[in-house]
Structures are given as structure tokens and as C-alpha cells.
Amino acid sequence: MSTDSNKPAVQTTGHAWDGDLQEYNNPLPRWWVWTFYATVVFAVVYWIMYPSWPVGKSFLGGVKTITFQTSSGQEVTTHWNMRARLLHDLQNGEEAVKQREYLEKIANSSFEEILSDPDKLAFVRSAGKVMFADNCAACHGAGGQGVIGLFPNLVDDAWLWGGTLEDIHTTISQGRRGYMPAFPQFAENGKVDNLADYVLSLSGEQGGDPVSIKKGEAIFQGEEGGCYYCHTKQATGMKSLGSANLTDKIWEIANVPGAKTYEEKRAEVRKVILGGIQREMPSWKGRLPDETIKILTVYVHELGGGK
Amino acid sequence: MSQSQEEHLYAARVPIFPRSVKGRFRNVKYGILALAYGVYFILPWLRWHRDNGPDQAVIFDLKARLFYVFGMTIHPQDIFLLAALLTLAALLLFFVTSVAGRVFCGYFCFQTLWTDVYMMIERLVQGERPARIRLSKQPWNREKILKIGLTHLLWLLVAFWTGLTFVLYWGDAPTLFVEFFTGKAPFPAYATALFLTATTYVMAGLAREQVCIYMCPYSRFQSAMFDKDTLIVSYDARRGEGTAGRHKIAKGYKTREERHAKGVGDCIDCGYCVQACPTGIDIRNGLQVPCIQCALCIDACDTIMDSLGWERGLIGYYSEHRLEGKPTRIIKWKTLGYGLALAAVVGFMTWLVANQAPLDMHVRKIRQPLYVELADGSIQNSYDIKINNKTSEPVRIRMEVKGLPGAKADFGRFREVRIRPQHYVRLLGKVSIKPAPGVSKRQEFSFRAVPIEPADLPEVEAPARFFMP
């Protein structure tokens, strides 16, 4: 078919106008025509089965129906539609049934049982990750790393309000209110610097003036500052108040690890003493289902290794 | 004005009524057919006891993501095995094609096998070639409707059995079989079975040689592997045609001597080779794309030669060199190359099968946060560890950290982990170090899973990184 002389005769429509004017007819390929007919048949079947044509203010619902449960537990049968299908699948889908089974298992297990069963723990870790991301990550960060000065880090091993499963469960369900009063009166005579030197020395920071540290200790342990009321004489903090342990390396509010020089570190601590702290963790009881709180408890406990 | 005929890219199917033949190659083909059908149709019914797993010799368990083939369990991680198998199949095909042409097409291709069976059914119901031609020209009367109807019914039955058998490989065959006929089988089972019924019926019953000519990619590229030493089913034109062409047996053309004296070749133009051809070609026209090299024309011609008392082999497996009177070389660079590649893949596969790791472990560093400082000033990193037990026995392992001096490792309560057969566990590993001066901020180390029970399993290691501020 390389030259014009090889060109096949083309079919014409069979009618001649003005004596010699003819129209070529190139019929569509048979497979194409039949495929087209098949789509037509498909469309008609589809109209009968599924919602299709608008009729006035309503529409043809189709003969296919779907049954699902509304949030109030009512069984509803309606014309087939994607939203109902989604609800139906969320309630009866294979995965949903499997998940419910696990959730029931978790609800019926004690914390101890969950921690000792790799299967349940694996479920808690993967389900907990999503729940944490949905509800907790906004403040605590996706990995639970928190924000220094604002939201506690959940990955380290310091627990202001206690790190046992029961403590964490209480924290999540009831919420916490962290409070440290401001001490603006120490701004005079460099007293706040003495205190800051002392606090820094507690966790082994080098560079404080020994005389200043001595003065700071007197304020901290004496009635002038009264810091030991909450932080205790050993400065290790109290779980019941959520007061921080000042002797460890972890800094919740003052960004000491981020500061480069001793001066900067002291400035950070000073800011906390003069300004005080006010933080709140909301209560989640009633906002989250019980088993979600349970899963989050174990998840958070695993993040930081618990205590 | 003369208008030359258009050469169409597609020709509507002209019905072919192949005549049956008897002979060596036909017997070989019967043998291969029986073997292939035996394997395909019986395999899913074979039982095979397993302690942990289905008691079916060959089962592809999609839900558990495990393929069981007799004593072997293939995991998704063993995808390389599948890749090697496919490479092996391709190389084998190339190798055989370069040596002996379209052996696959002629003897092993399922299109050929199923078409063969369908033709047998046709012959059984409608009779030999002349009877079938007569029937096809006959008006639609009782006999025709009955015979054609019965043929199609039997075809459909074979097609359905083929489709159903395929489905049985993907579940417990006896259970699935009962479920299938009581309407309890899963939807994909019905869809697959019906789809394969339809394709088998259409391909082997209606389309036949058109599949080879128009659909099959292999038939289009196989010629690239041919050379003048490749054995192909061909007609020995020098012997058959002589100098004056072929001639029917007639007065003065009876004995070979008479014929040779007149310059006529050995082909008596009986047309048996053409009638026997399942793709409806004349092999005497030389190598053609529709020829699947089923060798039935060889059997047909040999039968005629035998009856004439002349030597066999007017049609046979000849290379182009042989037809030109030159020697055929089977061992040449091309076949050697294919052979070597084939041996390499076989070796690789054997190694893969022999060295299937019973355990495997993957470690993912948790990067948010990258590290955390603990109360005592040490630095902790966390890792997501996944350990896969690919054996069919429960395995108990102990976790260790290797290559990180002074590290403390914490795996929750699971320093010893029990993994169910064909299952995996995920662990959270926390590793901490007291920072010392001069220690690198980024250290490479590895997690080790040491089997305790069974103790003879090899231990596995997975690399990880430790980060410090």
C-alpha cells in the first residue's frame, strides 16, 4: 500500500448528487460499534440499578438498596449510595469487624496484660499512633517530643505527674493544671540570679559563682523563697503537684539545653522564676471513648518507657 | 483500470477442518497433552500435610500472602524467586527457539493444547474432515443442530472445568468446590471461573489459529531468534519438486525411477499435509508466520511415504542450511550464550531456594524526635523493629545490640520474644548511651535476633544508626 495506485476503492454512501458527486462512507470498525452498543446496554442497566435521573425535585433511586446503622443505632435501608456504603463498610467491613474484635480485647484486658502480650501491644502501638496524631499531636508533636517551654516531652523519662500507667491514665482522662507562681520580688538585689545559679548547680551545670549559689540555696530552702514547699528540700519535685525535679538533666520550661553560654542558661531560668508557669492539659474523659484513652495511656507509656 | 487487491491487516476467519493424523509426533503430542492436563487438573486436589498451614500440596493463599508449593513456602519477600522463574522461562524459550524453532508453540502452548482437545471433541461428535465439511455446508436441520450443539456444549464443559480448576488453586480445593456449587464461594471465584470459561471457549473453540496469528506476541518476535541453523518444520523442496515440480501419482508417474527420469520430485501432491494443518497453511510454501510447528504435517507425509514404500522425511525438522545442502551447526555462539545465561539463572534460583532465610528483621529508626535526653543525661534513640518468622514452627528469640559500646537496650518486656509460625512481631527498641567526649554524633550499629528455640536457626542482624546532639 505504498503507492496511490494501490489505494483500495472506498465505499460510498451509494447516492450521487448532480450526476457525479458522491460521498465516501467509512463505516466504524465493527468492534467499536459493538463496544458502543455494550455501553448503551450498560447505561440502561445502570439506570435501573442505581440512582440516575432527576425527576422534579426528587430522583430515580434505582432498585438496589443498602442497609446501615445510623449513629443513633437505627437500622436504615435506603437506595444505594456511596455515603451509605461507607457507613456500612465502617460498621460491617472485614477490617472494621477485625478492629472491633481487637478493641474489645483491649477493653477487657488490664494494662499488665496488654504490656505482656506482643500481639495486643502491637495493635495498641499502631492504633495508638493514629489516635495520638488525631488528638494529642497538636500540642505534644507527632512523635510526642513536645515543645520546650510549652508542652511536655513525652519521650523522655521525666514524668511531672507520674509515669505509671495509672498516673498517665488519670492525666489523660482528668487533665492537669500546671502552676508555678511568679516571683517578681526577687528581681531586686540580684536575688533571682542567686536562685538561678543554685538551680543550675542542682543539675550539675558548671560556671556558677559559689557565693551566689550559697545565697540562692538560702533563699530556696528558707522561708524567703519557700521554693522547697513544692520542689521539696531535695529539689526532686512532687508528683501530686506536678512540680519539676530540678536535679535531673531535663528542662521542661527553661530552654537550658538550647542555650550556649552559662549567661544565657541563667537568663532562661531567671525568666521562669520571675514569670511563673501556667499550663493546662485538658480532660479527655467524655470526649474520647474509654478504650481510646486506654490505648493512648499504653501508647504514651511506651513512648517514654514509663516509670 | 485494474485495481490491485488490498492487503488487509486482518482477514476474517475461514473455518479450518483439520484431518487427523497418526504418527510419532502425534504420539509425543498426546503424551505431552496427557501430562499437562494431568498436572493442571489434578494438582489442586493433591493433599499434603502441614503442621501450620493448609493441607494442600499447591495452594496460593492470597489472604495469608503465602504461596505453598509442596515442601516450600514462598513469602512476598521471595519475589525474586518469581523474577528468577520468569527469567528462566524466557531464557529457556529463547534457547529452545534458537535451536529448534517454535517447539513451545507446537507442543506446550496452552492455546495449542486446548485447541487440540477441542478439535478432538469436534472429531468425536461430528466425524472426520469430510463429514465436518459436509455438516458445515448442510442447512440447519436436526442433525446439524444436534451435532454442532453437542460440540459447543462439550467445549463449554471443558472450558468451565478449566476455569474452575484455576480457581481451586487459590483456596482449599474440596471446600471451595462444594462452596462453588452451593453458591457460597466468594465473588472473585465466580468471576474468575466464568471469565476463564469464556476465554477458553472463545480462544480454543472459536478463534483458534487467529490467536497465534493476531494476538500472540511471541509468534511475532520469535523469528528474531531464528537463524539458518535453527531446526524448523519444513518441506524438502529439492527432493519434493525435483526439477520439473511435483506431480500426482498417475500413469507414467508411479515409481520413483519413472518420476526422476522425468525430473519430477517425490511429492505426489496428495494434499494430506495441508489437510492435517491446524492453522490451514501449506507447508510446501516455506516458513510462514501462522505455522506453529506442530509437526503434524510431518506425520501426515510420513504416513504417505510409508504407504508408497519411499523413504520418510519429505517434510521434517530441517535447518535452512540443511535444505541448501550445507551442514547444520547446533553449537554456536548464540546457543552457547543462551545456554550459559540459562545455567546462571538455574544456579541463582537453586541458591535462592536453598538459602531461604528462615528469619528476617527490619529496623526503622524513629526520627521524631531523632533523640531525647534522659534525666541522667544519657541520650536515647528509638527504633521500630519488625521480625518475620518464615518457618512453620514457633520461634523464640533474644534481642541484642551489637557494635555500640556502653549502650543500654530496652525492648519493653520482650527481651525474649516468641513469634508464631509464619507471623511477625513488631518491637519498640530503645537504646541509650551516656555521652562521652570524643564519641561520634552518628554511629552505626546493629540489632541482633539470636534464636533460642530452635537453637540451630541462624541469627539475623539488621543495621541501624544512633544519633546524638
Side-chain angles (χ1 to χ4, degrees), chain A residues 4-222:
Chain A
D4 278 356
S5 62
N6 278 346
K7 240 187 172 175
V10 181
Q11 225 182 315
T12 65
T13 49
H15 186 80
W17 291 269
D18 294 345
D20 61 349
L21 195 56
Q22 283 185 308
E23 195 182 353
Y24 279 156
N25 182 26
N26 281 309
L28 289 159
R30 236 183 335 168
W31 67 265
W32 193 96
V33 174
W34 283 107
T35 311
F36 175 68
Y37 291 152
T39 60
V40 171
V41 173
F42 177 86
V44 173
V45 173
Y46 191 93
W47 295 340
I48 298 166
M49 300 286 285
Y50 298 102
S52 51
W53 292 100
V55 177
K57 285 192 172 175
S58 176
F59 56 91
L60 289 182
V63 293
K64 208 164 176 198
T65 58
I66 188 161
T67 307
F68 66 98
Q69 274 190 352
T70 60
S71 51
S72 51
Q74 219 180 336
E75 280 240 325
V76 176
T77 300
T78 166
H79 66 271
W80 198 95
N81 66 82
M82 216 55 208
R83 266 181 301 168
R85 169 73 190 270
L86 177 68
L87 284 172
H88 178 264
D89 281 358
L90 283 176
Q91 290 149 1
N92 306 309
E94 199 183 334
E95 305 303 324
V97 170
K98 222 169 167 181
Q99 192 187 44
R100 204 176 307 137
E101 216 174 89
Y102 262 101
L103 284 174
E104 264 163 38
K105 249 197 245 174
I106 296 295
N108 295 328
S109 309
S110 70
F111 287 130
E112 279 303 308
E113 282 164 357
I114 297 171
L115 282 177
S116 324
D117 182 345
D119 205 30
K120 283 178 194 156
L121 192 59
F123 174 76
V124 164
R125 281 185 51 215
S126 56
K129 192 170 184 168
V130 180
M131 294 168 180
F132 189 87
D134 282 351
N135 302 298
C136 319
C139 295
H140 290 289
Q145 70 272 38
V147 178
I148 202 158
L150 295 169
F151 312 110
N153 184 333
L154 303 176
V155 190
D156 61 23
D157 58 348
W159 298 88
L160 292 173
W161 303 94
T164 65
L165 285 155
E166 285 69 27
D167 288 334
I168 296 172
H169 191 256
T170 313
T171 304
I172 297 175
S173 35
Q174 290 169 15
R176 296 288 188 189
R177 202 160 285 176
Y179 174 68
M180 166 171 154
F183 296 92
Q185 65 272 29
F186 293 136
E188 290 159 28
N189 303 328
K191 281 181 181 167
V192 69
D193 285 334
N194 300 147
L195 266 174
D197 281 334
Y198 174 64
V199 168
L200 282 168
S201 76
L202 284 173
S203 37
E205 293 288 344
Q206 303 293 320
D209 171 27
V211 181
S212 171
I213 292 173
K214 263 270 172 294
K215 284 186 188 163
E217 185 178 1
I219 301 168
F220 188 96
Q221 305 285 6

Side-chain angles (χ1 to χ4, degrees), chain B residues 83-393:
Chain B
L85 191 69
L86 292 176
T87 315
L88 179 75
L91 280 173
L92 194 64
L93 189 66
F94 297 168
F95 178 69
V96 170
T97 307
S98 83
V99 172
R102 297 170 67 171
V103 171
F104 174 73
C105 295
Y107 298 88
F108 301 99
C109 178
F110 39 82
Q111 174 66 20
T112 305
L113 293 178
W114 259 262
T115 305
D116 211 13
V117 168
Y118 272 43
M119 283 178 182
M120 276 183 225
I121 292 172
E122 220 169 37
R123 195 169 68 240
L124 206 72
V125 177
Q126 303 173 14
E128 193 48 88
R129 177 179 149 95
R132 297 214 296 277
I133 295 177
R134 201 173 52 242
L135 192 71
S136 80
K137 285 184 180 152
Q138 198 167 293
W140 282 97
N141 57 14
R142 215 177 103 91
E143 187 203 2
K144 185 166 178 175
I145 292 170
L146 214 69
K147 282 188 171 172
I148 302 277
L150 184 62
T151 310
H152 282 260
L153 187 72
L154 288 174
W155 282 356
L156 276 170
L157 273 177
V158 173
F160 175 68
W161 200 250
T162 305
L164 180 64
T165 301
F166 181 82
V167 168
L168 295 182
Y169 279 89
W170 306 84
D172 182 56
T175 323
L176 197 55
F177 186 80
V178 174
E179 280 179 354
F180 194 93
F181 290 106
T182 46
K184 285 178 194 144
F187 172 73
Y190 291 106
T192 311
L194 288 182
F195 178 75
L196 287 177
T197 304
T199 51
T200 309
Y201 173 73
V202 171
M203 302 298 166
L206 310 179
R208 292 196 176 171
E209 78 285 348
Q210 294 210 313
V211 173
C212 309
I213 299 171
Y214 296 106
M215 296 184 198
C216 179
Y218 172 62
S219 83
R220 294 280 152 180
F221 71 71
Q222 42 84 19
S223 60
M225 285 159 267
F226 276 38
D227 56 29
K228 291 199 160 187
D229 289 313
T230 302
L231 295 175
I232 44 178
V233 173
S234 36
Y235 168 64
D236 188 348
R238 291 200 305 172
R239 180 186 158 195
E241 305 286 318
T243 49
R246 57 184 90 123
H247 200 289
K248 286 199 185 305
I249 294 271
K251 207 168 165 8
Y253 291 95
K254 290 231 164 95
T255 66
R256 288 182 88 183
E257 289 71 33
E258 282 174 350
R259 295 169 72 92
H260 289 179
K262 292 188 171 108
V264 170
D266 281 354
C267 176
I268 61 163
D269 207 10
C270 63
Y272 193 11
C273 58
V274 180
Q275 292 178 9
C277 181
T279 68
I281 57 165
D282 186 345
I283 191 68
R284 293 171 301 180
N285 295 339
L287 184 61
Q288 294 149 76
V289 167
C291 176
I292 56 167
Q293 306 210 356
C294 65
L296 288 179
C297 50
I298 301 181
D299 278 344
C301 191
D302 283 351
T303 312
I304 298 297
M305 289 295 126
D306 285 351
S307 69
L308 288 167
W310 301 350
E311 63 177 299
R312 290 178 165 192
L314 186 53
I315 303 173
Y317 272 104
Y318 299 128
S319 72
E320 277 188 51
H321 271 150
R322 162 92 188 263
L323 292 174
E324 288 166 10
K326 294 177 194 160
T328 304
R329 289 186 315 140
I330 297 289
I331 297 168
K332 56 207 160 176
W333 285 115
K334 194 164 142 183
T335 42
L336 273 180
Y338 282 139
L340 278 178
L342 204 56
V345 175
V346 170
F348 176 62
M349 256 187 90
T350 319
W351 181 83
L352 268 186
V353 172
N355 288 293
Q356 259 190 318
L359 292 178
D360 69 20
M361 173 158 72
H362 293 275
V363 175
R364 192 177 63 84
K365 169 95 180 70
I366 293 174
R367 305 185 76 90
Q368 201 174 23
L370 200 56
Y371 53 79
V372 67
E373 187 171 18
L374 299 184
D376 64 356
S378 55
I379 302 298
Q380 177 175 285
N381 281 209
S382 304
Y383 303 87
D384 197 9
I385 304 167
K386 189 172 169 185
I387 309 161
N388 214 338
N389 175 10
K390 287 156 79 177
T391 69
S392 48
E393 283 152 58

Side-chain angles (χ1 to χ4, degrees), chain A residues 240-267:
Chain A
S240 53
L241 290 171
S243 53
N245 180 348
L246 301 176
T247 62
D248 64 15
K249 291 274 182 191
I250 290 170
W251 296 90
E252 284 284 343
I253 308 292
N255 190 8
V256 172
K260 285 197 184 71
T261 61
Y262 185 79
E263 271 311 307
E264 280 173 34
K265 286 178 186 171
R266 193 164 62 180

